[in-house]
Amino acid sequence: MLTLRVKPKAMEGEEDLPRDAKIVKSLLKSMGVEEYEPRVIHQFLELWYRYVVDVLTDAQVYSEHAGKQTIDCDDVNLAIQSKVNFSFSQPPPREVLLELARKRNKVPLPKAIPGPGIPLPPEQDTLICTNYQFAIPKKQPAQAMEETEDDEVSAEPNSSQEQKTDVPHPTSQKSIVSSQ
């Protein structure tokens, strides 16, 4: 005679889960999380696997650097510690932030120029002001005369050549850009 057992739905999914998924599920339950979507377990598993692979890869690098053939607990501990130091940084204490805020707030903001439209700060305090200057070198009079004659001669090519070339003419004003 054949007997069928009917399992409750809650128990049915647990037996099909891998061991790691069961561990994640029990961790969630121990933390008081009762309701969650099933994909949460898979997301935790993926995060967990990535973290373990990163730590073990770092531990292997430390082991090879030390000239050892195998990874030991010290290598894993060092890899975890370096991951914690690199990944999780603490913000500065509240007192330090308050002191920095006090110092910064002592300097008043620049006065806005009254006028129509939205009031803006002075141009030197904005990011749209120019941060460069043009410097036109002063030439000696004789050198300047020779250069203008050369420019006039080179500026008279026949019109068919002008249409074929897109090269700028040497008669344009020369300037040097220097940053502040």
Side-chain angles (χ1 to χ4, degrees), residues 110-156:
K111 300 224 181 221
I113 300 171
I118 300 171
L120 296 174
E123 191 171 315
Q124 70 268 10
D125 295 331
T126 63
L127 295 175
I128 59 172
C129 70
T130 56
N131 61 354
Y132 58 89
Q133 293 179 344
F134 288 107
I136 302 172
K138 295 183 180 181
K139 299 178 185 175
Q140 297 174 351
Q143 184 184 6
M145 289 297 290
E146 290 175 9
E147 189 171 301
T148 55
E149 289 174 5
D150 291 341
D151 290 345
E152 289 173 4
V153 170
S154 63
E156 297 176 2

Short mmCIF file of all heavy atoms in Angstrom, two decimals, residues 110-156:
data_model
loop_
_atom_site.label_atom_id
_atom_site.label_comp_id
_atom_site.label_asym_id
_atom_site.label_seq_id
_atom_site.Cartn_x
_atom_site.Cartn_y
_atom_site.Cartn_z
N PRO A 110 30.16 85.97 0.91
CA PRO A 110 30.23 87.25 0.20
C PRO A 110 28.83 87.81 -0.04
O PRO A 110 27.87 87.06 -0.21
CB PRO A 110 30.92 86.89 -1.12
CG PRO A 110 30.78 85.43 -1.26
CD PRO A 110 30.64 84.86 0.12
N LYS A 111 28.75 89.13 -0.05
CA LYS A 111 27.45 89.79 -0.24
C LYS A 111 27.03 89.65 -1.69
O LYS A 111 27.85 89.77 -2.60
CB LYS A 111 27.55 91.25 0.13
CG LYS A 111 27.94 91.45 1.57
CD LYS A 111 27.10 92.51 2.18
CE LYS A 111 27.55 92.68 3.62
NZ LYS A 111 26.51 92.86 4.51
N ALA A 112 25.74 89.41 -1.88
CA ALA A 112 25.20 89.31 -3.22
C ALA A 112 24.91 90.71 -3.75
O ALA A 112 24.54 91.61 -3.01
CB ALA A 112 23.92 88.48 -3.21
N ILE A 113 25.11 90.89 -5.04
CA ILE A 113 24.85 92.18 -5.68
C ILE A 113 23.35 92.26 -5.97
O ILE A 113 22.81 91.40 -6.67
CB ILE A 113 25.66 92.32 -6.98
CG1 ILE A 113 27.15 92.21 -6.66
CG2 ILE A 113 25.34 93.62 -7.68
CD1 ILE A 113 28.02 92.10 -7.90
N PRO A 114 22.66 93.28 -5.40
CA PRO A 114 21.21 93.36 -5.65
C PRO A 114 20.94 93.74 -7.10
O PRO A 114 21.67 94.51 -7.70
CB PRO A 114 20.74 94.44 -4.68
CG PRO A 114 21.96 95.26 -4.40
CD PRO A 114 23.14 94.34 -4.55
N GLY A 115 19.91 93.15 -7.65
CA GLY A 115 19.54 93.45 -9.02
C GLY A 115 18.42 92.55 -9.46
O GLY A 115 17.90 91.74 -8.67
N PRO A 116 18.02 92.67 -10.70
CA PRO A 116 16.93 91.82 -11.18
C PRO A 116 17.38 90.37 -11.30
O PRO A 116 18.55 90.08 -11.52
CB PRO A 116 16.60 92.42 -12.55
CG PRO A 116 17.88 93.06 -12.99
CD PRO A 116 18.54 93.55 -11.73
N GLY A 117 16.45 89.47 -11.14
CA GLY A 117 16.74 88.05 -11.29
C GLY A 117 17.24 87.42 -10.00
O GLY A 117 17.10 87.97 -8.90
N ILE A 118 17.86 86.28 -10.13
CA ILE A 118 18.36 85.53 -8.99
C ILE A 118 19.67 86.18 -8.51
O ILE A 118 20.57 86.40 -9.32
CB ILE A 118 18.62 84.06 -9.37
CG1 ILE A 118 17.33 83.42 -9.84
CG2 ILE A 118 19.22 83.28 -8.22
CD1 ILE A 118 17.51 82.04 -10.43
N PRO A 119 19.79 86.48 -7.23
CA PRO A 119 21.03 87.08 -6.75
C PRO A 119 22.16 86.05 -6.77
O PRO A 119 22.01 84.93 -6.29
CB PRO A 119 20.70 87.52 -5.33
CG PRO A 119 19.53 86.72 -4.93
CD PRO A 119 18.79 86.36 -6.19
N LEU A 120 23.29 86.43 -7.35
CA LEU A 120 24.45 85.56 -7.44
C LEU A 120 25.61 86.16 -6.67
O LEU A 120 25.69 87.38 -6.51
CB LEU A 120 24.85 85.37 -8.90
CG LEU A 120 23.85 84.66 -9.79
CD1 LEU A 120 24.32 84.68 -11.24
CD2 LEU A 120 23.61 83.25 -9.34
N PRO A 121 26.54 85.34 -6.21
CA PRO A 121 27.72 85.88 -5.53
C PRO A 121 28.62 86.59 -6.53
O PRO A 121 28.43 86.46 -7.74
CB PRO A 121 28.39 84.64 -4.94
CG PRO A 121 27.90 83.52 -5.74
CD PRO A 121 26.54 83.89 -6.23
N PRO A 122 29.60 87.34 -6.05
CA PRO A 122 30.53 88.02 -6.97
C PRO A 122 31.20 87.01 -7.91
O PRO A 122 31.37 85.84 -7.58
CB PRO A 122 31.56 88.66 -6.04
CG PRO A 122 30.90 88.74 -4.71
CD PRO A 122 29.92 87.63 -4.66
N GLU A 123 31.58 87.50 -9.08
CA GLU A 123 32.10 86.61 -10.12
C GLU A 123 33.36 85.86 -9.69
O GLU A 123 33.55 84.71 -10.05
CB GLU A 123 32.38 87.40 -11.39
CG GLU A 123 32.65 86.51 -12.57
CD GLU A 123 32.73 87.27 -13.88
OE1 GLU A 123 31.87 88.13 -14.11
OE2 GLU A 123 33.66 86.99 -14.64
N GLN A 124 34.22 86.50 -8.89
CA GLN A 124 35.44 85.81 -8.48
C GLN A 124 35.17 84.63 -7.55
O GLN A 124 36.02 83.78 -7.37
CB GLN A 124 36.45 86.78 -7.83
CG GLN A 124 36.04 87.31 -6.48
CD GLN A 124 35.29 88.61 -6.56
OE1 GLN A 124 34.88 89.05 -7.63
NE2 GLN A 124 35.07 89.25 -5.42
N ASP A 125 33.98 84.57 -6.96
CA ASP A 125 33.64 83.46 -6.07
C ASP A 125 32.85 82.35 -6.76
O ASP A 125 32.38 81.43 -6.11
CB ASP A 125 32.80 83.98 -4.89
CG ASP A 125 33.61 84.92 -4.00
OD1 ASP A 125 34.85 84.74 -3.94
OD2 ASP A 125 33.01 85.82 -3.39
N THR A 126 32.69 82.44 -8.06
CA THR A 126 31.94 81.42 -8.79
C THR A 126 32.87 80.56 -9.63
O THR A 126 34.03 80.92 -9.84
CB THR A 126 30.88 82.06 -9.72
OG1 THR A 126 31.57 82.83 -10.70
CG2 THR A 126 29.91 82.92 -8.95
N LEU A 127 32.35 79.47 -10.11
CA LEU A 127 33.14 78.57 -10.95
C LEU A 127 33.09 78.97 -12.42
O LEU A 127 33.75 78.35 -13.24
CB LEU A 127 32.64 77.14 -10.79
CG LEU A 127 32.82 76.53 -9.41
CD1 LEU A 127 32.19 75.15 -9.34
CD2 LEU A 127 34.28 76.45 -9.04
N ILE A 128 32.29 79.99 -12.75
CA ILE A 128 32.17 80.37 -14.14
C ILE A 128 33.10 81.50 -14.53
O ILE A 128 33.17 81.89 -15.69
CB ILE A 128 30.71 80.75 -14.49
CG1 ILE A 128 30.23 81.91 -13.63
CG2 ILE A 128 29.81 79.56 -14.36
CD1 ILE A 128 28.88 82.44 -14.05
N CYS A 129 33.84 82.06 -13.59
CA CYS A 129 34.76 83.14 -13.93
C CYS A 129 35.98 82.55 -14.63
O CYS A 129 36.32 81.38 -14.47
CB CYS A 129 35.16 83.94 -12.69
SG CYS A 129 36.21 83.07 -11.55
N THR A 130 36.65 83.38 -15.41
CA THR A 130 37.83 82.92 -16.15
C THR A 130 38.98 82.69 -15.19
O THR A 130 39.17 83.43 -14.23
CB THR A 130 38.25 83.96 -17.21
OG1 THR A 130 38.47 85.20 -16.56
CG2 THR A 130 37.18 84.11 -18.27
N ASN A 131 39.73 81.65 -15.46
CA ASN A 131 40.89 81.34 -14.62
C ASN A 131 42.18 81.40 -15.42
O ASN A 131 43.13 80.71 -15.15
CB ASN A 131 40.72 79.98 -13.94
CG ASN A 131 40.61 78.86 -14.95
OD1 ASN A 131 40.54 79.10 -16.15
ND2 ASN A 131 40.60 77.64 -14.48
N TYR A 132 42.16 82.24 -16.45
CA TYR A 132 43.34 82.40 -17.28
C TYR A 132 43.40 83.85 -17.75
O TYR A 132 42.44 84.60 -17.66
CB TYR A 132 43.31 81.45 -18.47
CG TYR A 132 42.09 81.64 -19.34
CD1 TYR A 132 42.08 82.54 -20.39
CD2 TYR A 132 40.92 80.91 -19.09
CE1 TYR A 132 40.96 82.74 -21.16
CE2 TYR A 132 39.79 81.09 -19.86
CZ TYR A 132 39.82 82.01 -20.90
OH TYR A 132 38.72 82.19 -21.66
N GLN A 133 44.56 84.23 -18.29
CA GLN A 133 44.74 85.57 -18.85
C GLN A 133 45.50 85.42 -20.16
O GLN A 133 46.31 84.51 -20.32
CB GLN A 133 45.55 86.45 -17.90
CG GLN A 133 44.84 86.78 -16.63
CD GLN A 133 45.73 87.64 -15.73
OE1 GLN A 133 46.93 87.72 -15.92
NE2 GLN A 133 45.13 88.27 -14.74
N PHE A 134 45.22 86.33 -21.08
CA PHE A 134 45.97 86.36 -22.33
C PHE A 134 47.15 87.29 -22.17
O PHE A 134 47.00 88.42 -21.69
CB PHE A 134 45.10 86.85 -23.48
CG PHE A 134 44.06 85.85 -23.91
CD1 PHE A 134 42.73 86.05 -23.60
CD2 PHE A 134 44.42 84.72 -24.61
CE1 PHE A 134 41.78 85.14 -23.98
CE2 PHE A 134 43.47 83.81 -24.99
CZ PHE A 134 42.14 84.01 -24.68
N ALA A 135 48.31 86.85 -22.57
CA ALA A 135 49.49 87.69 -22.52
C ALA A 135 50.00 87.86 -23.94
O ALA A 135 50.42 86.89 -24.57
CB ALA A 135 50.56 87.08 -21.64
N ILE A 136 49.95 89.06 -24.47
CA ILE A 136 50.43 89.33 -25.83
C ILE A 136 51.84 89.90 -25.70
O ILE A 136 52.03 90.96 -25.09
CB ILE A 136 49.50 90.32 -26.56
CG1 ILE A 136 48.09 89.72 -26.60
CG2 ILE A 136 50.03 90.62 -27.95
CD1 ILE A 136 47.05 90.67 -27.14
N PRO A 137 52.83 89.18 -26.23
CA PRO A 137 54.21 89.65 -26.07
C PRO A 137 54.46 90.93 -26.86
O PRO A 137 53.92 91.12 -27.94
CB PRO A 137 55.05 88.49 -26.60
CG PRO A 137 54.15 87.75 -27.52
CD PRO A 137 52.75 87.96 -27.00
N LYS A 138 55.25 91.82 -26.29
CA LYS A 138 55.62 93.06 -26.97
C LYS A 138 56.83 92.78 -27.85
O LYS A 138 57.78 92.14 -27.42
CB LYS A 138 55.94 94.15 -25.95
CG LYS A 138 54.74 94.53 -25.12
CD LYS A 138 55.08 95.64 -24.18
CE LYS A 138 53.84 96.00 -23.37
NZ LYS A 138 54.09 97.10 -22.45
N LYS A 139 56.75 93.26 -29.09
CA LYS A 139 57.82 93.01 -30.05
C LYS A 139 58.60 94.29 -30.31
O LYS A 139 58.09 95.40 -30.11
CB LYS A 139 57.24 92.49 -31.36
CG LYS A 139 56.49 91.20 -31.20
CD LYS A 139 55.90 90.78 -32.51
CE LYS A 139 55.05 89.54 -32.32
NZ LYS A 139 54.37 89.15 -33.53
N GLN A 140 59.80 94.12 -30.79
CA GLN A 140 60.59 95.28 -31.18
C GLN A 140 60.01 95.84 -32.47
O GLN A 140 59.52 95.09 -33.31
CB GLN A 140 62.05 94.88 -31.38
CG GLN A 140 62.70 94.38 -30.11
CD GLN A 140 64.09 93.86 -30.37
OE1 GLN A 140 64.51 93.72 -31.51
NE2 GLN A 140 64.81 93.57 -29.30
N PRO A 141 60.07 97.14 -32.69
CA PRO A 141 59.46 97.75 -33.88
C PRO A 141 60.00 97.18 -35.19
O PRO A 141 59.24 96.91 -36.11
CB PRO A 141 59.77 99.23 -33.75
CG PRO A 141 60.10 99.46 -32.31
CD PRO A 141 60.60 98.16 -31.79
N ALA A 142 61.30 96.95 -35.33
CA ALA A 142 61.86 96.44 -36.59
C ALA A 142 61.37 95.02 -36.86
O ALA A 142 61.02 94.67 -37.97
CB ALA A 142 63.38 96.49 -36.54
N GLN A 143 61.35 94.20 -35.82
CA GLN A 143 60.91 92.81 -35.97
C GLN A 143 59.43 92.77 -36.31
O GLN A 143 58.99 91.98 -37.12
CB GLN A 143 61.19 92.03 -34.69
CG GLN A 143 60.84 90.57 -34.78
CD GLN A 143 61.05 89.86 -33.45
OE1 GLN A 143 61.34 90.48 -32.44
NE2 GLN A 143 60.88 88.55 -33.46
N ALA A 144 58.65 93.65 -35.73
CA ALA A 144 57.23 93.70 -36.00
C ALA A 144 56.96 94.09 -37.44
O ALA A 144 56.06 93.56 -38.08
CB ALA A 144 56.54 94.67 -35.04
N MET A 145 57.72 95.02 -37.99
CA MET A 145 57.55 95.46 -39.37
C MET A 145 57.86 94.32 -40.33
O MET A 145 57.14 94.09 -41.29
CB MET A 145 58.46 96.67 -39.67
CG MET A 145 58.01 97.94 -39.00
SD MET A 145 56.40 98.48 -39.55
CE MET A 145 56.80 98.97 -41.22
N GLU A 146 58.95 93.57 -40.08
CA GLU A 146 59.31 92.45 -40.95
C GLU A 146 58.21 91.39 -40.92
O GLU A 146 57.86 90.82 -41.95
CB GLU A 146 60.64 91.84 -40.51
CG GLU A 146 61.83 92.73 -40.77
CD GLU A 146 63.11 92.14 -40.20
OE1 GLU A 146 63.09 90.98 -39.76
OE2 GLU A 146 64.12 92.85 -40.20
N GLU A 147 57.68 91.14 -39.79
CA GLU A 147 56.66 90.10 -39.66
C GLU A 147 55.38 90.50 -40.38
O GLU A 147 54.76 89.68 -41.03
CB GLU A 147 56.35 89.81 -38.19
CG GLU A 147 55.47 88.61 -38.01
CD GLU A 147 55.34 88.21 -36.56
OE1 GLU A 147 56.38 87.92 -35.92
OE2 GLU A 147 54.21 88.17 -36.09
N THR A 148 54.97 91.76 -40.31
CA THR A 148 53.77 92.19 -41.00
C THR A 148 53.96 92.14 -42.50
O THR A 148 53.05 91.81 -43.24
CB THR A 148 53.33 93.61 -40.57
OG1 THR A 148 54.42 94.50 -40.76
CG2 THR A 148 52.87 93.63 -39.14
N GLU A 149 55.17 92.44 -43.01
CA GLU A 149 55.42 92.32 -44.45
C GLU A 149 55.34 90.87 -44.87
O GLU A 149 54.77 90.54 -45.90
CB GLU A 149 56.79 92.91 -44.78
CG GLU A 149 56.85 94.41 -44.67
CD GLU A 149 58.26 94.95 -44.88
OE1 GLU A 149 59.16 94.14 -45.21
OE2 GLU A 149 58.47 96.16 -44.72
N ASP A 150 55.91 89.96 -44.08
CA ASP A 150 55.85 88.54 -44.39
C ASP A 150 54.40 88.05 -44.38
O ASP A 150 54.01 87.25 -45.22
CB ASP A 150 56.67 87.72 -43.38
CG ASP A 150 58.16 87.96 -43.52
OD1 ASP A 150 58.57 88.45 -44.59
OD2 ASP A 150 58.89 87.65 -42.55
N ASP A 151 53.61 88.56 -43.46
CA ASP A 151 52.22 88.16 -43.36
C ASP A 151 51.43 88.62 -44.59
O ASP A 151 50.60 87.88 -45.11
CB ASP A 151 51.57 88.74 -42.10
CG ASP A 151 52.11 88.11 -40.84
OD1 ASP A 151 52.75 87.04 -40.95
OD2 ASP A 151 51.89 88.67 -39.74
N GLU A 152 51.72 89.84 -45.09
CA GLU A 152 51.02 90.35 -46.25
C GLU A 152 51.37 89.55 -47.49
O GLU A 152 50.51 89.24 -48.32
CB GLU A 152 51.35 91.83 -46.46
CG GLU A 152 50.73 92.74 -45.41
CD GLU A 152 51.22 94.17 -45.55
OE1 GLU A 152 51.97 94.47 -46.51
OE2 GLU A 152 50.85 94.99 -44.69
N VAL A 153 52.62 89.16 -47.65
CA VAL A 153 53.04 88.39 -48.81
C VAL A 153 52.40 87.00 -48.77
O VAL A 153 51.88 86.52 -49.77
CB VAL A 153 54.59 88.26 -48.85
CG1 VAL A 153 55.02 87.27 -49.90
CG2 VAL A 153 55.21 89.63 -49.07
N SER A 154 52.39 86.35 -47.60
CA SER A 154 51.81 85.01 -47.52
C SER A 154 50.30 85.05 -47.53
O SER A 154 49.67 84.03 -47.76
CB SER A 154 52.32 84.29 -46.26
OG SER A 154 51.88 84.99 -45.12
N ALA A 155 49.68 86.20 -47.33
CA ALA A 155 48.23 86.30 -47.30
C ALA A 155 47.65 86.52 -48.69
O ALA A 155 46.46 86.63 -48.84
CB ALA A 155 47.80 87.43 -46.38
N GLU A 156 48.49 86.59 -49.76
CA GLU A 156 48.00 86.86 -51.11
C GLU A 156 48.08 85.65 -52.03
O GLU A 156 48.37 85.79 -53.20
CB GLU A 156 48.80 88.01 -51.72
CG GLU A 156 48.64 89.31 -50.98
CD GLU A 156 49.53 90.39 -51.57
OE1 GLU A 156 50.23 90.12 -52.58
OE2 GLU A 156 49.54 91.49 -51.04
#
